[in-house]
Amino acid sequence: MSNRRNFIKTSVLGTLGASTLISCKEESKASAIAPETSVKKGSKPLIISTWNHGLPANEEAWNQLKAGKSSLDAIVAGVGIPEADPKVRSVGYGGFPDREGKVTLDACIMDSNSDCGSVSFLQNIKHPIAVAQRVLENTPHVMLTGEGALQFALEEGFKEENLLTEASEKDWKNWLEKSKYQPVINIENHDTISMLVIDENGDITGGCTTSGAAWKMHGRVGDSPIIGAGLFLDNEVGAAAATGLGEAVIRTAGSAMVVELMRQGKSPNEACKEIVERIYNKHKNHKDMEYLQVGFIAVNKNGEYGGYSLRSGFNYAVYDEENGNRMEDSKFKMTWDN
Ligand code: SD4
């Protein structure tokens, strides 16, 4: 166990940098003064995305908004940046494959009219979020999966391509040597990108795209394409999106619950925190607990935003006119040593 802890610590240091750990410590000191649930407010438009790859994604989405594109188009272009980046091992091209060496992708998108589109278990298409948008716009359905999703993507003009890069194939072969099933959420920076946008009028849109848990069973679908789990919004209230172990988010209908708590008057931070607490309570004696990480981001109609994670290390990128594009560390319930 202690080896594992050391591994996690080293790995977290490796992927996020020592400064993140230090800032986590500083943050817990700071939280004695500023309550964990303090409200942060941005100006509109506002974009918030999970993890470090949220920065370039926000940048692109912002430029699209400023060029007069719709929030849906801005999200598709924004999260399309990490989708196409082979160095981002958790999304799109170059994502970690499943245990059979297949890269299978999940994505969804939702607009302020509560129209939504989603694809799951999609293979060989680099931009699943763009296919999800076409599901929203061009079909009477919400969700297409597997072969059917691929067939639809091809009919829509998307091109098939191999998404398994040399690096991901090598890592998969290394994993095969031991083949110990363990999703490596967070530990290897395996991080979904979820993005929420409030436009100048206060209308809210959201999207989410991922290659899912590394070494998952072939056919496994996580929370990310499931409206209500990985993403949810109600334009009267706000929006929330998740990252982390999808099974835990699905079990608790995570994002939908965060939005419901905001409807009842909780701030985005408070709502995210309460659902993380609920996930903790449901999982504290569960087999998934040892490697469980879940994080939420949320925004409300007033332009308040926030996030909260079960374990340390989660961060998100926020972009607004006043303060530009920046990373903010999430508050969390516990460190990886607990
Ligand atoms: C999943 N929620 O497939 C995704 C993975 C993830 O940070 O978000 N990792 O379970």
Side-chain angles (χ1 to χ4, degrees), residues 37 39 237 258-272 274 300 304:
T37 50
V39 173
V237 178
V258 172
V259 173
E260 280 314 291
L261 290 176
M262 290 194 291
R263 191 192 304 276
Q264 289 165 22
K266 301 241 186 253
S267 72
N269 265 335
E270 287 169 339
C272 293
E274 188 163 330
N300 68 15
E304 293 164 1

Short mmCIF file of all heavy atoms in Angstrom, two decimals, residues 37 39 237 258-272 274 300 304:
data_model
loop_
_atom_site.label_atom_id
_atom_site.label_comp_id
_atom_site.label_asym_id
_atom_site.label_seq_id
_atom_site.Cartn_x
_atom_site.Cartn_y
_atom_site.Cartn_z
N THR A 37 -16.56 26.84 0.58
CA THR A 37 -17.68 27.04 -0.33
C THR A 37 -17.82 28.50 -0.76
O THR A 37 -18.87 28.90 -1.21
CB THR A 37 -18.96 26.58 0.37
OG1 THR A 37 -18.99 27.18 1.65
CG2 THR A 37 -19.00 25.08 0.50
N VAL A 39 -17.97 31.92 -2.72
CA VAL A 39 -18.52 32.07 -4.07
C VAL A 39 -17.56 32.84 -4.95
O VAL A 39 -17.03 33.87 -4.56
CB VAL A 39 -19.86 32.83 -3.98
CG1 VAL A 39 -20.39 33.15 -5.36
CG2 VAL A 39 -20.87 32.02 -3.18
N VAL A 237 -31.22 27.51 -14.36
CA VAL A 237 -30.49 27.35 -13.10
C VAL A 237 -28.97 27.45 -13.29
O VAL A 237 -28.28 28.31 -12.73
CB VAL A 237 -30.81 25.97 -12.47
CG1 VAL A 237 -30.03 25.78 -11.18
CG2 VAL A 237 -32.30 25.83 -12.24
N VAL A 258 -26.01 18.05 -8.96
CA VAL A 258 -25.37 19.35 -8.69
C VAL A 258 -26.31 20.47 -9.15
O VAL A 258 -26.53 21.46 -8.43
CB VAL A 258 -23.99 19.45 -9.38
CG1 VAL A 258 -23.43 20.87 -9.27
CG2 VAL A 258 -23.00 18.45 -8.79
N VAL A 259 -26.90 20.31 -10.33
CA VAL A 259 -27.80 21.35 -10.85
C VAL A 259 -29.03 21.47 -9.95
O VAL A 259 -29.48 22.58 -9.64
CB VAL A 259 -28.19 21.06 -12.32
CG1 VAL A 259 -29.26 22.03 -12.81
CG2 VAL A 259 -26.95 21.15 -13.22
N GLU A 260 -29.56 20.36 -9.49
CA GLU A 260 -30.73 20.42 -8.61
C GLU A 260 -30.42 21.15 -7.31
O GLU A 260 -31.24 21.93 -6.80
CB GLU A 260 -31.27 19.02 -8.30
CG GLU A 260 -32.13 18.46 -9.42
CD GLU A 260 -33.15 19.46 -9.96
OE1 GLU A 260 -34.11 19.82 -9.25
OE2 GLU A 260 -32.96 19.90 -11.12
N LEU A 261 -29.22 20.92 -6.78
CA LEU A 261 -28.85 21.61 -5.54
C LEU A 261 -28.71 23.12 -5.78
O LEU A 261 -29.06 23.93 -4.91
CB LEU A 261 -27.57 21.03 -4.95
CG LEU A 261 -27.73 19.62 -4.39
CD1 LEU A 261 -26.37 19.09 -3.92
CD2 LEU A 261 -28.71 19.58 -3.23
N MET A 262 -28.21 23.48 -6.96
CA MET A 262 -28.12 24.92 -7.27
C MET A 262 -29.53 25.50 -7.39
O MET A 262 -29.78 26.63 -6.98
CB MET A 262 -27.32 25.15 -8.56
CG MET A 262 -25.83 24.84 -8.38
SD MET A 262 -24.79 25.46 -9.72
CE MET A 262 -25.28 24.42 -11.09
N ARG A 263 -30.45 24.71 -7.94
CA ARG A 263 -31.85 25.18 -8.03
C ARG A 263 -32.40 25.49 -6.64
O ARG A 263 -33.19 26.41 -6.44
CB ARG A 263 -32.71 24.10 -8.69
CG ARG A 263 -34.11 24.58 -9.08
CD ARG A 263 -35.02 23.43 -9.46
NE ARG A 263 -34.50 22.60 -10.51
CZ ARG A 263 -34.62 22.86 -11.82
NH1 ARG A 263 -35.24 23.92 -12.22
NH2 ARG A 263 -34.09 22.04 -12.70
N GLN A 264 -31.95 24.69 -5.67
CA GLN A 264 -32.43 24.90 -4.30
C GLN A 264 -31.68 26.03 -3.58
O GLN A 264 -31.88 26.25 -2.40
CB GLN A 264 -32.29 23.61 -3.50
CG GLN A 264 -33.29 22.54 -3.94
CD GLN A 264 -32.91 21.16 -3.42
OE1 GLN A 264 -32.19 21.03 -2.43
NE2 GLN A 264 -33.38 20.12 -4.10
N GLY A 265 -30.76 26.68 -4.30
CA GLY A 265 -30.11 27.85 -3.72
C GLY A 265 -28.65 27.68 -3.34
O GLY A 265 -28.02 28.62 -2.87
N LYS A 266 -28.11 26.48 -3.53
CA LYS A 266 -26.67 26.32 -3.21
C LYS A 266 -25.83 27.01 -4.28
O LYS A 266 -26.22 27.06 -5.45
CB LYS A 266 -26.30 24.83 -3.19
CG LYS A 266 -27.10 24.03 -2.19
CD LYS A 266 -26.20 23.39 -1.16
CE LYS A 266 -26.95 22.48 -0.24
NZ LYS A 266 -27.14 22.99 1.10
N SER A 267 -24.67 27.47 -3.87
CA SER A 267 -23.72 28.04 -4.84
C SER A 267 -23.11 26.87 -5.62
O SER A 267 -23.18 25.71 -5.18
CB SER A 267 -22.62 28.80 -4.10
OG SER A 267 -21.77 27.87 -3.46
N PRO A 268 -22.47 27.15 -6.77
CA PRO A 268 -21.81 26.07 -7.51
C PRO A 268 -20.84 25.27 -6.64
O PRO A 268 -20.85 24.04 -6.66
CB PRO A 268 -21.09 26.81 -8.64
CG PRO A 268 -21.94 28.02 -8.89
CD PRO A 268 -22.44 28.43 -7.53
N ASN A 269 -20.01 25.97 -5.85
CA ASN A 269 -19.06 25.26 -4.97
C ASN A 269 -19.77 24.37 -3.96
O ASN A 269 -19.40 23.23 -3.74
CB ASN A 269 -18.21 26.27 -4.19
CG ASN A 269 -16.90 26.53 -4.87
OD1 ASN A 269 -16.40 25.70 -5.63
ND2 ASN A 269 -16.33 27.69 -4.60
N GLU A 270 -20.78 24.94 -3.32
CA GLU A 270 -21.52 24.17 -2.30
C GLU A 270 -22.18 22.94 -2.91
O GLU A 270 -22.17 21.86 -2.33
CB GLU A 270 -22.61 25.04 -1.65
CG GLU A 270 -22.09 26.09 -0.71
CD GLU A 270 -23.19 27.09 -0.31
OE1 GLU A 270 -24.21 27.22 -1.03
OE2 GLU A 270 -23.02 27.73 0.73
N ALA A 271 -22.78 23.14 -4.11
CA ALA A 271 -23.49 22.04 -4.75
C ALA A 271 -22.52 20.92 -5.13
O ALA A 271 -22.76 19.74 -4.90
CB ALA A 271 -24.24 22.56 -5.97
N CYS A 272 -21.36 21.31 -5.71
CA CYS A 272 -20.36 20.30 -6.10
C CYS A 272 -19.88 19.56 -4.85
O CYS A 272 -19.72 18.33 -4.85
CB CYS A 272 -19.16 20.95 -6.80
SG CYS A 272 -19.54 21.66 -8.40
N GLU A 274 -21.40 19.09 -1.99
CA GLU A 274 -22.40 18.18 -1.41
C GLU A 274 -22.49 16.86 -2.19
O GLU A 274 -22.61 15.79 -1.60
CB GLU A 274 -23.77 18.86 -1.35
CG GLU A 274 -24.75 17.99 -0.58
CD GLU A 274 -25.98 18.74 -0.10
OE1 GLU A 274 -25.91 19.95 0.16
OE2 GLU A 274 -27.04 18.07 0.01
N ASN A 300 -23.59 28.93 -12.40
CA ASN A 300 -25.02 29.24 -12.31
C ASN A 300 -25.36 30.46 -13.15
O ASN A 300 -24.47 31.06 -13.76
CB ASN A 300 -25.47 29.38 -10.85
CG ASN A 300 -24.89 30.62 -10.18
OD1 ASN A 300 -24.38 31.52 -10.85
ND2 ASN A 300 -24.97 30.67 -8.86
N GLU A 304 -21.73 32.81 -11.32
CA GLU A 304 -20.89 32.23 -10.27
C GLU A 304 -20.42 30.86 -10.75
O GLU A 304 -21.15 30.15 -11.45
CB GLU A 304 -21.68 32.08 -8.98
CG GLU A 304 -22.04 33.42 -8.36
CD GLU A 304 -23.13 33.33 -7.30
OE1 GLU A 304 -23.63 32.22 -7.01
OE2 GLU A 304 -23.50 34.39 -6.80
#
